[in-house]
Amino acid sequence: MRSLHVRLKEAAAAKGWKAADVAREMPEVAASTVGHWFSGRRQPQMDHLKKLAKLLDVSAAALVADEPDYAHTAEERIALQILRDMTPQQREVYLAMGKTYAGSTPKQ
């Protein structure tokens, strides 16, 4: 199970950010504290966790829960919600189309 600091680093990396970038966006928190969050030495309080989630375009739940279906970005959250709102038949067609498309485009 991945811990909060690992998920925090992954979410930041998905935006191209590091701890210093997060610290810059959270001037109310000491940069060393943000560094401790990223290293796992400390965990953010709930109000800071909510701000981190907003800054990193993820849900707070995605940072604290080790669930395989959490979204890293706002776009992934939208796609996941669309998928969850579909009927099983729609979902099957959508996934087949996605697999076909993903297989026909080069990885970047």
Side-chain angles (χ1 to χ4, degrees):
M1 183 163 109
R2 294 181 347 264
S3 58
L4 185 143
H5 79 281
V6 171
R7 289 187 295 274
L8 178 60
K9 286 193 275 190
E10 289 173 350
K15 272 193 88 150
W17 286 14
K18 297 184 185 235
D21 301 303
V22 172
R24 220 176 351 270
E25 296 295 324
M26 297 183 73
E28 71 279 9
V29 179
S32 61
T33 299
V34 174
H36 288 162
W37 296 341
F38 272 72
S39 69
R41 283 180 255 161
R42 294 180 73 183
Q43 292 195 357
Q45 296 174 349
M46 184 55 73
D47 58 330
H48 293 137
L49 185 67
K50 288 177 183 178
K51 184 165 184 183
L52 283 166
K54 186 173 183 174
L55 286 171
L56 299 173
D57 296 323
V58 298
S59 68
L63 293 175
V64 297
D66 197 20
E67 297 179 17
D69 64 347
Y70 77 85
H72 287 280
T73 66
E75 290 86 3
E76 287 179 3
R77 263 197 316 278
I78 293 167
L80 188 56
Q81 189 58 54
I82 291 169
L83 187 66
R84 287 178 175 162
D85 290 343
M86 291 179 176
T87 66
Q89 294 81 12
Q90 290 171 321
R91 195 175 304 130
E92 187 176 320
V93 171
Y94 177 81
L95 291 174
M97 288 173 37
K99 289 176 185 175
T100 300
Y101 180 76
S104 67
T105 59
K107 300 271 185 208
Q108 296 181 3

